[in-house]
Amino acid sequence: MTVEEVKSRSYVVVGKIGHPGSYQLGRPTTVLEAIAMAGGLQDFAKTSKIYILTQTEDGTQIRLPFNYKKVITQRAPDENVYLKSGDTIVVP
């Protein structure tokens, strides 16, 4: 038996998003791509209050800001980070 694909790498999108849930991380994926794959933002999503919960190498959970409007207008491209397995995107 050979392993053809690893399915244990995933991230979660919750809140005011088209299709909240868990998604496979099969290739490098940015926050913006993840939001698009989850069906986009709902009408009353707080686009400047989105954040990513992620863990540092020492296991500490941190909160990374993501301002949707600033990212899509290239005013904050550094906020569009690549996701790691276990990350959670919160869309209030």
Side-chain angles (χ1 to χ4, degrees):
M1 176 184 222
T2 60
V3 176
E4 292 182 19
E5 188 175 352
V6 177
K7 299 250 186 217
S8 62
R9 294 178 39 85
S10 63
Y11 61 92
V12 175
V13 185
V14 297
K16 295 190 185 314
I17 194 85
H19 305 289
S22 180
Y23 291 83
Q24 295 302 314
L25 193 57
R27 63 173 181 77
T29 303
T30 65
V31 178
L32 193 58
E33 290 171 325
I35 289 171
M37 288 188 279
L41 303 173
Q42 289 182 346
D43 288 341
F44 297 104
K46 293 184 170 108
T47 60
S48 64
K49 305 283 186 190
I50 298 169
Y51 59 93
I52 302 95
L53 294 174
T54 190
Q55 286 194 351
T56 61
E57 288 184 18
D58 69 2
T60 305
Q61 189 175 60
I62 59 172
R63 182 174 159 156
L64 303 174
F66 181 85
N67 186 317
Y68 182 82
K69 287 182 182 176
K70 284 186 177 181
V71 168
I72 63 171
T73 60
Q74 291 295 309
R75 291 188 325 221
D78 55 321
E79 290 184 11
N80 193 25
V81 297
Y82 283 95
L83 296 172
K84 297 186 299 188
S85 184
D87 285 356
T88 299
I89 301 170
V90 180
V91 182

